[in-house]
Amino acid sequence: MMATESKRTRTVTTWGGCLAAVLLVVSPNASAAQDDRTDDWPPEAISFFEERIRPVLAEQCLSCHGARKQTSGLRLDSRAAILDGGFIEGPAVYLDDPSASPLLAVLRHDSELKMPPDQPLSDEVIGDLGRWVEMGMPWPDDATIPTPEDVADASATHWAFQPIVAPDPPAVPAPDAVATPVDAFLRARLDEVGIAPSPQADRRTLLRRVSFDLIGLPPTPEEVEAFETDPRPDDVAFAEVVDRLLASPQYGERWGRHWLDVARYADTKGYVFTEERRYPYAYTYRDYVVHSFNEDKPFDRFILEQLAADQLDLPPGDPALAAMGFLTVGQRFLNNANDMIDDRIDVISRGLMGLTVSCARCHDHKYDPIPTADYYSLYGVLNSSTEPDTLPLITELADSSGPDRDDFLKQLEEREAAITAFLQTKHDEILLDFRRRSHAYLEAAHLLGSTGEDAGDRRRRNDSVIDQEARARDLPPRRLSAFLEKWTRLLDEAAPETNPILAPWHALAALPAESFAEDAAEALASLTADASAPLNPVIERELTQPETPRTFAEVIERYAQAFSDQTEDGPEEPGRPAIDELFSSESGALAVASLDETRRLLERDERNELRDLERRAAELQVNHPGAPPRAMVLVDTNEPREPFIFVRGNPGNRGPQVPRQFLQLLEGEDRRPFSQGSGRLELAQKIADPSNPLTARVMVNRIWMHHFGTPIVGTPSDFGTRSDQPTHPELLDYLATQFVRGGWSIKAMHRLIVNSRAYRQSSLDRPDAAAIDPENRLLWRQNRKRLELEPMRDAMLAVSGRLDARFGGRPSPTPSAPDGTRRTVYSMIDRTFLDGVYRTFDFASTEVSNPDRPETIVPQQALFLMNSPFVAEQARSLAERCRDEAASDAPADRINRLYRLLYGRPPEPSELQLGERFLGRPDASTGPAPSPWSYGFGRFDEETGRVTHFRPLEHWTGESWQFGAEFPHPEAGHLHLKAEGGHVGNGPDRAAVRRWTAPEDGVIRVEGSLVHRNARGDGVRGRIVSESGGLLGEWVTHDGRSRTRVAAVEVAAGETVDFVVDCLGNTSHDSFAWSPVLTFETPAGSRTTWDARSDFRGPPEAPPTAEEQYAQALLMTNEFLYID
Amino acid sequence: MPHHRPNPGDLPVTRRELLCRSGMGFGAMALGGLMSDSGALARPARADDAVRSSLAPKSPPMAPRAKRVIHLFMNGGPSQVDTFDPKPMLARYAGKELPTENLRTERRTGAALNSPFKFKKYGESGIEVSELFSNVAECIDDICVIRSMQADVPNHEPSLMLMNCGDARLPRPSVGSWVLYGLGTENQNLPGFVVLCPGGYPIAESSNWKSAFLPGIYQGTHIDSNHTSLDKLIEYIKNDRLATPEQRAQLDLLSELNQQHLERRRRDAELESRIQSFELAFRMQSEAADAFDVSREPEHVRQRYGEGVHGRQLLIARRLLERGVRYLQVYHGNGQPWDNHDDIEDGHRRLAGQCDRPIAALLRDLKERGMLDETLVIWGGEFGRTPTVELPTPGANAGKMNGRDHNHYGFTMWMAGGGVKGGHVHGATDEFGFKAVENPVHIHDLHATMLHLLGFDHEQFTYRYAGRDFRLTDVHGRVVHDLIA
């Protein structure tokens, strides 16, 4: 039981305890003389003081009548001081005559003296004060009220804000009783009150305790035996066990989970509207935490990484980047930035330093010296940090090869192949387009290219001209632009006189339009005549036959013909290969060179299509369970954002600007604003600084809490002025000092604590000690602890032999899934739809950072143990394991094996006897009474009014009963029955029949609706037929609903009542819904309801054997679920 | 899979015994065990004893008027001017702009939209109610109508949060969690805070009944009341594999083993409580089966509540209240069914048609059983609707001019039983029903008043968390004494 709970409890039980308190306490109105009592007030009286009186005194009076200043010698900050009074009036309050109290007169301005001097308090407040005085001035204890100045002073006075001192362990008279310095501190306190520590627990108990403590799993029978028979002294043998457990990879899974409580870890975002609910990469933070504990990462480094891994110059892909999930796995508050930042401030300040900084969001902290300005200083740091759109990939910590990864790679390949295929198609399409429509391309290119500009000019040419030309010719502009560039380059590079393909173009393009026809014939003749530079035969033919072109437009046409005409005489035609080469996708001058170039040539709708394909590939990275891990990082914004105070927390009401800097409380007057980017790293360094009085104390307190079940400071996430006093302040400081000196090693802390005699004490109660220290605050014994959800579930898996010890990876199903085998720390944690098992077993809140877990005992826990398929499955495996492992078939041997596996000990004779008796019961495993429902088909005989030829449906699909594995079945069509209805068979012999058999004599009533939802077909007919009474009702439904009621009908034990549905004329569209509810009343008056839908089941499972039932009982025992 | 419904007669205790015994709760039993220990009276109860019994019934600091609450949540926001707040002026202005400017709501609204429903005076009090709730109206003399409710914003999520948790955004415990925390529950065999919602979740899902920083045991138990089978209603309530006598034999063995274990450990209150919890769980199996099985009600009672899911869920609700469930919330349906941005005439007629008769049946039934006095019944949505017509928006109510937008400026809720004035109207909206102008009641005030009726001063009913004492009403709220009989 965690001690913070006691604080809550006090509030919880305020009213419950009220009665007792009133009985014990004299009436608060008793007009006693100036008494000296200091407590025993009824809780409501104290509440009245806290809510109505304390604030008034603190805010209105104490500046002049408090600890610093006592005007007129009067102090109003404690009950005694008020009764003592000041120089002028004497006592300020007369308890025996309250209404005459000078204090009230002064406040009412009824006397010469008037207070407060400037303006009277409101009537309501004065009334409250009057009532309070009438009540006898209830005051919680003899404490004095802090003034606002006191609050500021707390940085100088409150223990937790003072530097950690390094106390020496006290000298203890019995040095033998000290195994580690921890014992000296505890022993000194025990000696003071005269309680002796408890004797050491036996080795078996100890091993079980320390195993659950450090790795969250029970020891194996072999480990128990080895330790019990280890001949070395206890200290030595035990220390070795501790080292073994700390080195186990399962240690991180246990202790990482404790840290995840602080980090309010979950795998989903909380309520969202339409966006993705999951955090696909939250698990990388969880794995980072587990891994960090296993490698004993120094705690200061752990802090730096969790707040600022992005600024530690880690190599790209370093798994430690995932550390920042500490900040980013919180709730999303519908993406309200201010609330997300508040959540992050809270997890940083309470989680790491035990400071409730979030209290200062709207106003200065009421009790701790944390002004609102400091809240907004931290706000500025987090507001200058942002989550990048694409989270960085990191190296895997967990081997995630396996079916998911294979599937991911396969799907990724498919989706990436789809992108390539799309681009390839477009590539080929463009190429073909250049050839098919080469006339249009050449025409446009000629027009655009013949302006005599150089290449640079052409590049600068206004795109709109190209657009215009493209539109005029119905060409895609980007393709035209590309063609133009290629064509121009081709012309530029081709030798104008000798190029077999382009020489004629050059020659003809140079001709004047006026005399083109004649000049062209001449020019062509000269070109064809030059044997040294033969023309391409195809070009030559096109340009000379049937006649030479008369205009340049015709030349373009002829070239286009040559380029596009790929079929005449086939590719063998002389000259054709050279032309084809121009368009060859590998090297052609007029070809699109690559898929990259293709990508640039896509038009808008094509680009959209491509983006969709690319998005599908990207989504896979996010959503696929086999996708490689990414870190949920924060990075600094480009420019840090200077924070403003939001007055009363309202972002619409900006107050003064404040620098991004650390808390004044810890930095003092000469603090400097953060200077590097957001300041996140500097913030982390301030928190992890050895001189920070809180960080180490808070962490060692958390470690202590998990070893003893109760912390040294009862409020593990609040070390402020209202926190619980430490039970052992010197011990706390000693541990904190050792923690820092030992390089912030958490494992070293475990050794220091766990190897102590105190830890190893027996947990047995001792009336002598309990009489002095009933709450065991001084630790005169070890506390008995209940297993939390995780070790409970893990222990069941471990003893049943089903535990899958793999590390990390994406979340496994919820912890209640019967086939789950992985450790609970890896189970899915869904903030919104939290598996009921988490709630039932007091799991940590996923909404806020947890100081500790509540501990309740509710019957729902027992229900899970008694009735859940998960526990049944473990019991089954456990029984099977013992059958396999026991030396013989004798029940005693199996019982013995069970006891060793579960409890690490042999059974006591009485236990053995109980077990043998249980296993030997006659009819130990009959299972529940058979279901009265059966599922089949048959015929309704109109003449006799009875069902004949009933045969059961024999194939179970997991959801429905049907005729055979094949569906629709060649013989029976769509015939089937499922929970809510079914489908009729083909023909009158194959009516669907849901049969109920009366378990005893009685009367039935039936309610229900026969529903047919299809306008097509001719509907269905439902009948209720009893074996003795025949037809009880008949309904025909087509695209509608009929209410199927049968009023009281007597049935005899074993008699059947059939719910028969047949097809009328034809069997198509004959799905129906009909799940009648049958109420059965016996002559004795007992009533049972049978609901066809919820009772619907597949074939009955074999009932659990006696051994399974026995194994389950042992799993439910307190011995299994509690740690002594 | 065969399974067996235990008959009450098979069980080791009778139902009557069970109902009585469960009133004590295992926490009390545990404490009793502790006290009987020799010398234990001299020993202060340990902190953990109290936590364990933190669901045990507790007395509030003031004399309570109500012992339990049922909140009938018309999620989506029913229109006040079509139900409990008649506005004849709307008929005069129908189709015309209001003389005053329309208040800003979620979407733009236009001219006045007259109510298509007829209002009539009912009961001795003569309070006017529309035909939509003609059955509920028959109980009007037991009802206190608040016509001047106000919330903060015209959006569903923050308004649901405000109504249910007292804060529009931050994770705060729901009203039911606060009440359970303060009062415990009278029946340890059933969850103390139950949320019935047919078809799934309302918008904002489980945030509506969370316990936030209160311990998880105070969170509401959500039940999809479309289901009829018990195992869908309460987790692990049935054992499909063992017959009841077999399970009994198993638990007898367990108990014997645990007793031996306990004796070897010189007794321990926590271990004893754990032993008790199995016995309670065993009985809970039949108790819960009984509570949710409405077929055990006589025919005339089922007739009164009517067929259909609303009749059934309110009948279940009454059975749960009767068995000591402390706080019940009953949603009209999943999502936000009352959110009639268009076709409000059809929509509201259909929705009221579903729940009017069952609600009236519940009120009468509670009254006849003498339970109404101690049961606070609350009816309403997260806000109301505009008296003006919502203008069409593409993708929403395109082409329609026959619905109303959200309206947080003024709307109607009603309460009955639990110490409120029957046949009473509190507050008023303006002449068109747009804004509360007379005695406005903010949600925080409603919460303060509810707590008052349950015996708490909302300013002193706090929980210490993260260094602060939290209240349901934060720094707001005042008790509306005018509502209280």
Side-chain angles (χ1 to χ4, degrees), chain A residues 402-632:
Chain A
D404 277 345
R405 175 56 52 83
D406 294 346
D407 186 63
F408 167 76
L409 292 173
K410 184 165 149 274
Q411 284 201 46
L412 186 66
E413 197 180 332
E414 281 167 11
R415 291 185 190 194
E416 283 175 347
I419 296 170
T420 314
F422 175 77
L423 287 172
Q424 190 63 50
T425 308
K426 286 292 157 193
H427 172 266
D428 297 351
E429 187 187 306
I430 294 170
L431 208 58
L432 199 63
D433 191 41
F434 281 175
R435 291 192 82 159
R436 286 260 166 84
R437 293 199 283 170
S438 52
H439 186 220
Y441 280 108
L442 283 171
E443 225 173 37
H446 180 64
L447 197 76
L448 293 163
S450 59
T451 49
E453 302 160 278
D454 65 14
D457 284 339
R458 281 200 297 271
R459 267 197 300 279
R460 284 188 294 275
R461 185 179 4 242
N462 193 335
D463 282 347
S464 72
V465 182
I466 296 179
D467 276 1
Q468 227 167 10
E469 286 304 320
R471 247 195 318 277
R473 290 173 173 78
D474 200 19
L475 297 175
R478 290 187 173 208
R479 290 190 196 176
L480 174 58
S481 172
F483 185 87
L484 171 62
E485 204 170 301
K486 289 171 195 298
W487 178 248
T488 313
R489 192 182 321 122
L490 181 64
L491 284 179
D492 286 353
E493 286 169 4
E497 261 115 72
T498 57
N499 184 291
I501 296 172
L502 294 171
W505 180 283
H506 277 294
L508 296 172
L511 297 178
E514 312 84 71
S515 57
F516 187 88
E518 303 88 69
D519 295 354
E522 198 177 307
L524 281 172
S526 110
L527 280 171
T528 49
D530 184 355
S532 67
L535 287 185
N536 177 294
V538 176
I539 297 293
E540 185 176 337
R541 172 169 57 75
E542 287 292 345
L543 288 173
T544 54
Q545 289 172 15
E547 53 193 355
T548 54
R550 277 166 304 183
T551 61
F552 194 76
E554 260 184 68
V555 175
I556 293 175
E557 218 169 287
R558 304 280 173 96
Y559 264 89
Q561 184 64 27
F563 287 170
S564 60
D565 186 357
Q566 296 170 67
T567 52
E568 192 173 304
D569 293 340
E572 310 305 320
E573 184 189 4
R576 178 59 63 191
I579 290 173
D580 286 347
E581 174 58 27
L582 286 178
F583 294 97
S584 149
S585 62
E586 283 82 38
S587 54
L590 294 178
V592 179
S594 64
L595 295 186
D596 268 355
E597 189 184 356
T598 307
R599 189 186 287 270
R600 289 195 296 276
L601 299 190
L602 298 179
E603 297 300 326
R604 177 188 304 208
D605 49 342
E606 296 167 323
R607 287 199 300 276
N608 286 342
E609 216 175 317
L610 178 67
R611 240 198 317 271
D612 280 348
L613 291 171
E614 287 173 335
R615 191 179 302 134
R616 274 171 51 76
E619 271 169 8
L620 201 64
Q621 296 276 1
V622 173
N623 291 331
H624 195 284
R630 288 168 189 272
M632 293 175 67

Side-chain angles (χ1 to χ4, degrees), chain A residues 8 857 926 1087 1089 1097, chain B residues 1 5 26 246 268 295 463:
Chain A
R8 293 180 187 167
I857 298 179
T926 49
R1087 250 174 113 159
T1089 307
R1097 294 289 187 280
Chain B
M1 176 90 202
R5 307 294 173 102
F26 71 91
E246 288 175 12
D268 172 320
S295 72
Y463 185 82

Side-chain angles (χ1 to χ4, degrees), chain A residues 641-652:
Chain A
R641 299 177 185 141
E642 294 302 330
F644 292 84
I645 291 175
F646 295 156
V647 177
R648 299 206 71 78
N650 178 0

